[in-house]
Every structure is written in structure tokens, then in C-alpha cells.
Amino acid sequence: MHDDLNALSVFAVISEEASLRAAADRLGVTRSAVSQSLRRLEADLGVSLVRRTTRSMSLTEEGERLRGEIAPAIADMRAALDGVRAHRSAVRGQLRLAVSSIAESVLSGPLLAGFCDACPDVQLDVLVTDEEFDIVAQGFDAGVRLGEVIEQDMIAVPVSGDQRQVAVAAPVYLERAGTPLHPRELAAHRCIGWRPAPRAVPYRWEFAEDGRDFTVSVEPEVTTNDMRLMVQLARAGAGISFGMEDTFHEDLERGTLVSVLDAFCPPFPGFFLYYPSRRDMPMRLRAFVDHVLRYRRERA
């Protein structure tokens, strides 16, 4: 003999409906399947649970006893399943995001703050990192990076418009050292470089000329993984720095930094929210994707 929990659940429906046909309709199976399940349970227990005539059906004494014993457990299981369904359909829980440190469109605040206002039952956990890793394997719901480095099996949604990298320096530095007219002249200048991690090589500065991309490997006087320090050093006249235009936006507006080599710095596709393609997307992630799309439309 073995415990057939499926047969117990079928019996619970039979006892509630008082009809094999009605039980079959409710369960979405054939009447024959319901009868077989009932017979299997009766055989396992060694008792008759149902009295059947051509016109009616009723529970035997043993059937009534079994119904009374399992009814609370069945109710608890249904409540548990309803709870899971309700949780899945509700926008709540923790949403984990891995965001590139240069994704100003996300990290400046308004986009995330707007989502927090719209979905107060979601707790955002944002890791700012420039390391490349498998977000799924590390337990993240989604990430934000430049489109060119996102895996092809991911779904990607634009978070920003086109971006541009620029070379910048303080006016005081350019007065002292001169203004480079071509990226190859950077070798004669003091440069402030960036690296994503301690053991990574400094980032190679990327330019384009006559439709062709090329990189320049500068030898920085200072290298850092902190964008704020990079900006502060450039503002203080320590040399020429290179990065996303958004990173230097406020200083460029104020004139405390000026851009150089603009003719060699064309725009390119910007940042994307990316996440794995899956059928059962958590509602908190669905809500965040919808928020990003709405945020972009409102600012188009």
C-alpha cells in the first residue's frame, strides 16, 4: 500500500461536489479518471468510501470520517497555493540590480526614486559595479550596462539615449600644456585614467576617424576606479581625462572642464536594462521594466 496524495485531493473534490461528473468537470479530467482514482484510494485503504446508485451518490461512514480528517489540511494547502499566487501577482519583494558605475541615467536618482514611489512594497538592492559576470548565477534580477557588452541571450530595454565618450581638461591645464588636435598627441600630455578593478589594465581610450574605430593606450599619471576622483583631478588641472559625457556634464556646463578632440568622439548606443528571457517573470521585475519604458517615453 502507498499514500496517494493525488487520489486524496480527488476524493476531497468528490465529497464537496457529491457527484463524480461534477468532480470531473471541476478537475478538468474525464469521469473515468475520477472513478479510477477513487477506486485506487479505496483499494489502498481497504474500505468503501462512496455509495453509488444509478441516481445518487453519498459518502459511507468511512468516507465521512476521511473527509472530516483531510478537510482542514486541504483547506490549508489551498490557502498556501492562493498565497503564492497572490504574492506572484503582487508587486512586492526585493529587486536586485547590477548597474555600471557610468550609467548616469539610472544612478542620478530620478528613475529609481520614481520607481520607489510607484512600488513602495519593492525593496531595491543596487550593486554598482563594472565587473562583468553572470547576473543570473549571482542572483540578480537584472542589470544595466552599455549595449555592446550585453550577452545575446538577454532581453535588453533602452534606459538612455545615445551616449558619447569625451576627452576633457580644465582650462588652466590647456593653457599650460596646450590643446591636443589629434588623439595620437595624447602621448605628450598628462592623463588621468580609469580601471574597473585592481588587477585590470587601464581602460584604452576609444576614438573614431573617417568611420573607423581605434583606441589609444595612454600612460596615465594617475589611474583610479573612482569616477568622482577622476573628475576632481581633471577639474583641478591634473591632466586630460576621458569618460562618458554624462560624467562630466555639470563641469562642462559650468566651464570648469572643456572637451577636446570632439571630432574623434562620435555617439553610440547607450545603456540598456537587461534581464534573462523567461516565461514567469516576477511582477516586481515586470513593474520595473514598465517603469523604465514609461520613464523613457515621458522624456522622449
Side-chain angles (χ1 to χ4, degrees):
M1 187 178 76
H2 63 278
D3 295 329
D4 190 339
L5 298 181
N6 183 63
L8 273 178
S9 64
V10 171
F11 170 74
V13 176
I14 293 172
S15 66
E16 292 169 1
E17 296 292 340
S19 164
L20 296 184
R21 184 178 300 280
D25 291 342
R26 178 170 156 185
L27 293 168
V29 298
T30 65
R31 181 177 177 181
S32 174
V34 170
S35 296
Q36 290 175 16
S37 182
L38 177 59
R39 284 197 298 271
R40 188 166 61 249
L41 180 61
E42 289 177 328
D44 284 346
L45 296 176
V47 296
S48 176
L49 300 172
V50 173
R51 270 187 222 95
R52 283 165 281 186
T53 68
T54 56
R55 297 192 177 189
S56 64
M57 189 206 85
S58 62
L59 298 182
T60 64
E61 181 179 349
E62 290 79 5
E64 290 285 2
R65 180 177 178 180
L66 180 61
R67 179 175 67 172
E69 293 285 347
I70 68 172
I74 294 292
D76 288 345
M77 287 189 288
R78 286 174 178 162
L81 292 173
D82 288 342
V84 171
R85 293 188 187 101
H87 187 275
R88 183 182 180 280
S89 63
V91 183
R92 63 164 60 96
Q94 186 182 69
L95 182 68
R96 301 190 69 206
L97 304 175
V99 181
S100 172
S101 67
I102 55 176
E104 182 71 15
S105 55
V106 174
L107 297 178
S108 59
L111 187 152
L112 295 180
F115 177 72
C116 291
D117 286 342
C119 301
D121 292 328
V122 175
Q123 297 81 47
L124 277 178
D125 182 359
V126 181
L127 173 69
V128 180
T129 177
D130 294 298
E131 294 185 37
E132 295 183 22
F133 58 86
D134 185 339
I135 60 170
V136 177
Q138 295 299 318
F140 287 86
D141 295 289
V144 177
R145 298 187 69 83
L146 289 172
E148 62 188 22
V149 296
I150 296 175
E151 296 86 347
Q152 291 186 350
D153 62 344
M154 292 285 175
I155 296 176
V157 176
V159 178
S160 74
D162 286 352
Q163 297 289 302
R164 196 165 75 101
Q165 295 197 100
V166 294
V168 300
V172 64
Y173 172 82
L174 297 176
E175 290 171 7
R176 183 174 71 246
T179 300
L181 301 178
H182 192 280
R184 62 174 170 265
E185 297 178 17
L186 290 169
H189 283 267
R190 297 171 65 90
C191 294
I192 304 162
W194 176 82
R195 72 170 85 235
R199 294 181 178 83
V201 298
Y203 178 70
R204 292 176 65 89
W205 296 11
E206 299 175 322
F207 299 96
E209 185 176 20
D210 298 328
R212 292 179 296 180
D213 297 333
F214 66 97
T215 62
V216 173
S217 181
V218 301
E219 295 184 5
E221 295 289 328
V222 179
T223 303
T224 178
N225 71 328
D226 189 332
M227 292 289 172
R228 290 173 299 178
L229 178 58
M230 191 174 70
V231 173
Q232 290 166 0
L233 287 169
R235 188 189 300 141
I240 299 175
S241 191
F242 187 79
M244 303 300 292
E245 190 170 26
D246 281 348
T247 301
F248 306 112
H249 175 73
E250 292 184 5
D251 283 278
L252 290 171
E253 287 283 313
R254 291 195 297 260
T256 49
L257 291 174
V258 295
S259 61
V260 298
L261 304 172
D262 283 345
F264 303 93
C265 301
F268 55 85
F271 292 94
F272 290 78
L273 169 71
Y274 68 100
Y275 53 93
S277 175
R278 54 190 177 193
R279 186 172 54 188
D280 298 321
M281 181 190 297
M283 286 302 296
R284 58 185 177 273
L285 177 55
R286 177 75 267 169
F288 187 69
V289 172
D290 291 343
H291 176 75
V292 167
L293 293 172
R294 186 164 53 250
Y295 183 88
R296 290 275 293 131
R297 283 197 304 270
E298 291 171 355
R299 285 155 181 77

